[in-house]
Amino acid sequence: MTITAVLVMGIYGCDKSEGIVSREDTAEDTLTSVTAEVMDMELAHAVQVALSKQESLVDVDIVVIANNGEVRLSGVVDNQEQHDQALRAATGVAGVGVVDDKIEVKKQN
């Protein structure tokens, strides 16, 4: 429903020469944007699946955000081994180009 609403909005553009994007360009740009967002969601999901397969990360909450092949991992893990395992799992997923590591390791007393 959201995709349909966005595409319908693109139908009512004007000429580019007036500084307003035409309906064809708007629809194409919208489709490209939606496609990129879907690809980002699929990549983030694939990384989440890879993380969930790591036994030591089962009870760890790591947030995954993907944007054009760059994946940001954030959250808090108990130790360096969990941190390293999360990075290895993420970089092993097809389509991941760069991992932005924002994972924090809990301070040990």
Side-chain angles (χ1 to χ4, degrees), residues 15-58:
D15 186 12
K16 275 185 179 178
S17 63
E18 297 176 17
I20 300 175
V21 179
S22 71
R23 67 178 165 221
E24 293 85 10
D25 288 342
T26 302
E28 184 176 321
D29 292 345
T30 300
L31 183 57
T32 300
S33 176
V34 169
T35 301
E37 286 182 32
V38 169
M39 290 174 63
D40 288 342
M41 290 186 331
E42 288 175 350
L43 183 58
H45 177 73
V47 172
Q48 282 286 9
V49 169
L51 292 172
S52 71
K53 290 181 179 180
Q54 307 302 311
E55 191 173 313
S56 70
L57 300 176
V58 171

Side-chain angles (χ1 to χ4, degrees), residues 97-109:
V98 175
V99 176
D100 181 13
D101 176 17
K102 301 293 185 189
I103 299 174
E104 296 180 33
V105 177
K106 287 182 185 175
K107 302 230 189 259
Q108 302 296 324
N109 292 336

